[in-house]
Amino acid sequence: MNNRVVVTGMGMVTPLGLDTPSTWQKLINGESGIDIITQYDPAITETKIAAEVKGFDPTQYIDRKEARHMDRFVQLGVVSALQAVDQAGTRNVSADDTGVIIGCGLGGLNTLLNQYDVMKEKGADRISPFLIPMMIPDMASGQVSIMLGAKGPNFCTASACASGSDAIGTAYEIIKRGDASVMIA
């Protein structure tokens, strides 16, 4: 098949902004999202700067209890996806014909490291039962599918720094060949 593919909505949670308009404005103004590391003490690493997402509150989009059971990378992916579908107005499309692909280079490293510390300090029986669901790389696409009821193609592309671009390109190909009408990528 040779279906036409168009972008109907965008969502962004980035070091430049917590939504598409603020991120885009800073991009065209030539601003940088790189700053001194704040998420941990940078004294313990050689590199002292990074492009961190600052001021992010997932509970503006996700129920507080649900957000607690998601690693930060999942929260970032879910919020970006929800922004995109809100802009596109696609929340009421056929669930069977809607898919989700979100690229992720690594997965829930924060959760893994935190639970490793729990195991060392309190024992293996104190590890959270949510460790695996919070850690696996395809959990961002899984959570978006659950929240939106999307039952079409669903997986994670893991291609290092190209993971997001790979997800968008794969979603394009899925629509182009007719395997789904809507893809959230």
Side-chain angles (χ1 to χ4, degrees), residues 1 5 19 21 44 91 99 101 108 110 132 137 142 157 159 162 167 169 172 176 178 184:
M1 299 193 86
V5 180
D19 55 28
I44 63 173
R91 286 206 187 191
I101 300 176
N110 286 336
I132 300 302
T157 55
S159 340
Y172 169 88
K176 193 85 169 152
I184 301 162

Side-chain angles (χ1 to χ4, degrees), residues 31-147:
E31 294 182 40
S32 173
I34 298 171
D35 201 353
I36 300 297
I37 294 171
T38 61
Q39 292 186 16
Y40 62 86
D41 181 2
I44 63 173
T45 60
E46 192 173 318
T47 301
K48 310 294 183 218
I49 61 171
E52 297 176 320
V53 174
K54 295 180 181 176
F56 175 65
D57 178 7
T59 62
Q60 293 179 339
Y61 289 85
I62 307 167
D63 175 74
R64 186 175 304 281
K65 184 177 178 182
E66 287 182 49
R68 279 198 338 260
H69 294 128
M70 295 178 191
D71 189 89
R72 182 174 166 89
F73 90 95
V74 175
Q75 295 171 352
L76 294 167
V78 166
V79 170
S80 296
L82 293 176
Q83 288 177 5
V85 297
D86 285 346
Q87 186 182 67
T90 57
R91 286 206 187 191
N92 294 322
V93 297
S94 168
D96 292 333
D97 209 17
T98 301
V100 181
I101 300 176
I102 297 180
C104 177
L106 188 57
L109 188 58
N110 286 336
T111 295
L112 178 61
L113 293 174
N114 290 338
Q115 290 304 303
Y116 179 76
D117 288 343
V118 167
M119 183 183 74
K120 284 190 332 185
E121 295 168 15
K122 299 178 182 177
D125 60 333
R126 297 302 305 239
I127 294 173
S128 170
F130 294 102
L131 169 61
I132 300 302
M134 289 175 70
M135 189 184 85
I136 56 177
D138 64 345
M139 192 44 72
S141 63
Q143 284 292 345
V144 170
S145 294
I146 290 167
M147 293 176 90

